[in-house]
Amino acid sequence: MQQTEKIIQSLHSITKWGKVGSIFLYISGGLAILIGFWLVLPAALGVFLIMMGIHVQKSVNAAEQLIQAPDTSYEELLEQYAKMMKMQTLFAISSIVAAILSFIAIILMLILGGLAFLQEIPSDIQQYEGEYEEELGDFY
């Protein structure tokens, strides 16, 4: 395939932004694992981010190879891009699941907390009046 000026510009853009993007994917994946190491879901999201960073870095290497040797095949670049797209889709799905589970957990905590609060309120105040008078004594 003959490389046009537009293809060469796109390859340079892939190498430049791919390097920056992969570094940020590594950092954000590492932070997600580090911060949520005791929870399964944030750690899994961090693994997806790191795997995306690896595929982006491999795409950068394939783009650099295409810039240096224009007669090389585009197969490696497209293969790494396809893998990165799969990881991105899995990341998006797991993020949606995490958001839904978090929402359900918050609602359950509010409901259970409200029920626990209502359990603490005595329903019959007259039942306790005699007990308090015995404990406190007559101050008057």
Side-chain angles (χ1 to χ4, degrees):
M1 174 180 219
Q2 184 176 357
Q3 291 185 347
T4 62
E5 185 64 32
K6 181 72 173 168
I7 292 174
I8 294 171
Q9 287 177 350
S10 296
L11 290 172
H12 281 292
S13 180
I14 289 171
T15 58
K16 180 175 68 173
W17 288 106
K19 288 177 183 176
V20 173
S22 65
I23 290 170
F24 280 105
L25 285 169
Y26 292 143
I27 292 171
S28 60
L31 288 174
I33 291 173
L34 186 65
I35 291 171
F37 71 93
W38 55 280
L39 298 173
V40 175
L41 211 48
L45 295 176
V47 170
F48 281 129
L49 288 170
I50 290 174
M51 290 174 67
M52 279 194 303
I54 290 170
H55 291 301
V56 169
Q57 188 62 44
K58 288 182 179 180
S59 295
V60 166
N61 295 339
E64 286 175 344
Q65 184 179 2
L66 283 168
I67 291 171
Q68 294 170 357
D71 296 334
T72 348
S73 173
Y74 282 78
E75 288 178 19
E76 180 68 21
L77 177 65
L78 294 175
E79 180 182 343
Q80 295 306 320
Y81 180 71
K83 288 180 181 179
M84 197 264 313
M85 290 303 294
K86 288 177 190 175
M87 287 295 120
Q88 190 172 11
T89 302
L90 291 173
F91 176 75
I93 291 169
S94 58
S95 295
I96 291 170
V97 168
I100 290 170
L101 290 176
S102 297
F103 182 72
I104 290 171
I106 289 170
I107 296 298
L108 284 175
M109 286 180 11
L110 289 173
I111 290 172
L112 294 175
L115 289 175
F117 178 74
L118 291 176
Q119 292 287 330
E120 295 293 321
I121 298 175
S123 58
D124 188 13
I125 296 179
Q126 291 178 353
Q127 171 185 354
Y128 298 104
E129 285 181 0
E131 293 177 15
Y132 290 128
E133 288 176 3
E134 292 173 7
E135 289 178 13
L136 297 176
D138 191 12
F139 290 115
Y140 302 107

